[in-house]
Each structure stands twice: as structure tokens, then as C-alpha cells.
Amino acid sequence: MTPEQWLLILTVAVALGFDFINGFHDAANSIATVVSTRVLSPRIAVLWAAFFNFVAAFVLGTAVAKTIGKGMVDLHYVNQYVVLSGLIGAIVWDLLTWWWGLPTSSSHALIGGYAGAAIAKAWTLGVIIPAGWYKTLIFIILAPLMGLVIGLGMMVAVSWIFRNKAPRTVDNWFRRLQLLSAAAYSLGHGGNDAQKTMGIIAGALFTGGILTREQMQAEWGPYKWPIILSAHLAIALGTYFGGWRIVHTMGSKITKLKPVGGFCAETAGAITLFGTALAGIPVSTTHTITGAIIGVGATHRLSAVRWGVAQRIVWAWLLTIPASAGVAALTFWLIRFLHPAA
């Protein structure tokens, strides 16, 4: 095989590795509430979440993948080295925040890394496609707000509807219902996050000469299902192996949850993710579920939310895109130093 073919294989392998780390890093998003409320044991919870991460391949389409693949960065400035550098930038940031126990956005790390590497190659911000970024940047704020408002509204409604029921009865009902809400959230998580890796893999196949421009603009030709299934399998395996440091932060440090609160938070997150996935908006699953958990906690009293932890998480959110872009740019320049033709 030629060096270019080996480079393509390496890039696709690193993309799937990122997808695995995405599932590993974001496992907390899918299972923190159902574990913290003790509805499921950690091992059963990750199996439940991983299964629905994979099933999402057949449910939520590829609209987000197309936004990432051809709507964020001008493809004239993208080659294998740009894609590889962007992935490395995202992976480094994901691993650092996993080590620090911060539930940051793997999605924003990926698009930040992709953009940073492309800018490093082109030496101009003109490589960025503004139309693809407006929705993404707006939803950095809107996604957690939507999760917060829907979670708060659902918690208020449920509390009013079941106000005359015995607490033990309500607890038992929502322990069962939380299985459904956890499944729905995992479906939204897989459908949104796996698609981002699909877009990157499709971009790598295009720059490697495997996909034509027409196939890239349409349904990826004969490579559609291999791309979809490999991305969903990688994120499902990552979720199965889980990220327990972040589970602790999401499930207990922000606010204490009961089954009814877990159900409302997961359902609010799932509603937000389904809508944005079908609209092709690459939002952060982490931001969404964090907002929903805060909304649920705030229905008790504002002091029920540990705002110091929430503030630390928000700072990590704001740093994610520039930090991953910086790492990706440095990676690209290092590659170019070693291989000037990059």
C-alpha cells in the first residue's frame, strides 16, 4: 500500500479512537442520573446505555454528520494531516478533562480541533464557514438552557400531578420510568455524538480520494453504512467501559437526585437532543444534561445546586473550543515541521 493509503487508515483509526474516548468520556451523561438514584447498578447501566448508543444508528439519521463533514470548514483547505491533527487536539483535551473529572464537551473539542488544524494550515480565519458555526456557537448557550427549562418545567409538573401520592409510591413508579428515560437519553447521546465522528471519517475518505465530491454531498455512496455502524459501535464500546470520575461529578456533586428527578433530567435532555439531531445542529450532550440536572435541582431550592461545581464546569466549557484548537494547531505545525508537504 502507498503511504497515502496508510495515512488514511491511520486517520480513520484515530477517528474511531476519538469516538471510543467520546463514549468513555461521556458515559457519565448517559448513566450518572440512573446510577446516582440507584435504579441500576453501574455495570447494568453502562450496558443499557451502550445498547441504545448503538441502536441510534438506525433512528436519528446523519444530519449532524453532514454539518460537521462539509459545513464547518472549507474542504479546499482540508487534507489528511488537518483531520489527523484535529482529532489529536480533541483527544488530548478529552483525556485531560477526563483526568480532572470535568464533564466537558467532546463535540466542541472535535470541532475546535478540526477548525484549529485547518486555520494552522491555511494561515487565515477565512477557512471557517460562518454559517456552520452560528448554530453551534448559539447552542453552546441554548442547549443547557433548553435542558434547564424543560427539566425544571417537567419537575414542577410532575410534583404537582403527584402531590397527593405517597412518596414511596412515586419513588417506585419513577424507578421503572427512569429505565425508559435513560434509554431515550442514550439514544439521543449516540445519535448526536456518533454523527460528529461520522462527519470526520467522511471528510477523511473524501480527502483521501475514496469518496467523490458528489458522494460527499449526498449519502456517502457505498460507504454510508460502514461509516455509520463503525462510529456507533465505537461510541457504544466507549460507553460500556465508562468514565467513572465524571459519573461522580454529574451524579452527585452538582445536586442530589431522586428517581423522579433523574427521570425529568434525562427526559429533558433526550427531548433537546432529538430535536437538535434531526435539525442537524451539533450540540453538546454534556451541556444539555448538565443544564437539565441543574434545572431539576433548582426546583427544590437554589441552594440545592452546588454552584461552585457548576461554575467550574462552565469555565471548562468556555475553554474547550480554543484549547482543543490550540493543541490541534500545534500538532499540525509539528507535523509540517517533520513533513513539509503536509
Side-chain angles (χ1 to χ4, degrees):
M1 291 201 305
T2 65
E4 289 76 17
Q5 289 172 323
W6 280 113
L7 179 61
L8 175 59
I9 291 171
L10 174 64
T11 303
V12 172
V14 172
L16 292 175
F18 167 80
D19 207 21
F20 176 88
I21 291 171
N22 189 341
F24 187 93
H25 187 278
D26 288 2
N29 301 349
S30 296
I31 67 173
T33 52
V34 79
V35 170
S36 68
T37 56
R38 299 182 182 179
V39 169
L40 292 176
S41 69
R43 183 172 295 277
I44 299 300
V46 292
L47 279 170
W48 189 256
F51 174 77
F52 286 99
N53 276 175
F54 183 76
V55 168
F58 307 98
V59 178
L60 292 177
T62 58
V64 172
K66 290 173 183 174
T67 298
I68 295 290
K70 57 186 175 65
M72 308 290 289
V73 173
D74 188 339
L75 291 177
H76 291 97
Y77 295 93
V78 176
N79 60 18
Q80 298 295 332
Y81 300 102
V82 167
V83 176
L84 188 60
S85 300
L87 287 165
I88 291 172
I91 288 170
V92 168
W93 183 248
D94 258 7
L95 290 176
L96 283 174
T97 51
W98 167 80
W99 181 255
W100 295 330
L102 289 174
T104 54
S105 170
S106 298
S107 310
H108 293 155
L110 179 61
I111 62 176
Y114 192 31
I119 292 169
K121 175 177 172 58
W123 284 99
T124 175
L125 291 173
V127 71
I128 300 299
I129 300 174
W133 282 81
Y134 292 150
K135 291 186 292 186
T136 300
L137 294 177
I138 289 170
F139 271 82
I140 289 178
I141 298 170
L142 281 186
L145 281 179
M146 287 171 66
L148 188 152
V149 170
I150 297 172
L152 189 149
M154 286 193 65
M155 191 66 187
V156 169
V158 167
S159 298
W160 186 83
I161 292 169
F162 294 98
R163 66 191 184 281
N164 296 322
K165 299 294 182 183
R168 184 180 294 276
T169 302
V170 174
D171 188 75
N172 288 335
W173 286 350
F174 279 93
R175 280 182 177 277
R176 296 183 180 91
L177 287 172
Q178 213 185 340
L179 294 175
L180 298 178
S181 63
Y185 185 83
S186 295
L187 198 68
H189 172 231
N192 207 292
D193 277 11
Q195 286 194 52
K196 292 150 191 168
T197 301
M198 289 181 219
I200 293 296
I201 292 174
L205 294 176
F206 171 72
T207 58
I210 304 298
L211 288 178
T212 66
R213 185 170 294 277
E214 291 73 22
Q215 289 173 332
M216 184 66 180
Q217 296 293 333
E219 295 293 329
W220 306 332
Y223 298 95
K224 175 182 176 180
W225 281 106
I227 291 172
I228 291 173
L229 294 178
S230 62
H232 278 279
L233 180 60
I235 199 170
L237 288 173
T239 296
Y240 174 73
F241 288 100
W244 302 113
R245 288 173 179 269
I246 301 173
V247 168
H248 180 51
T249 299
M250 296 291 286
S252 62
K253 283 191 177 180
I254 296 176
T255 189
K256 295 293 184 182
L257 290 175
K258 293 181 179 179
V260 63
F263 170 83
C264 292
E266 288 161 352
T267 304
I271 290 170
T272 304
L273 292 178
F274 284 2
T276 53
L278 294 172
I281 303 170
V283 303
S284 167
T285 56
T286 308
H287 293 192
T288 303
I289 194 64
T290 303
I293 291 172
I294 289 174
V296 167
T299 59
H300 300 293
R301 60 186 188 282
L302 290 178
S303 60
V305 177
R306 294 187 174 94
W307 295 104
V309 175
Q311 185 180 37
R312 183 164 161 255
I313 290 170
V314 170
W315 273 111
W317 290 355
L318 295 176
L319 289 172
T320 292
I321 290 178
S324 55
V327 174
L330 290 173
T331 302
F332 180 82
W333 286 327
L334 177 61
I335 291 173
R336 176 167 278 181
F337 176 77
L338 298 173
H339 183 61

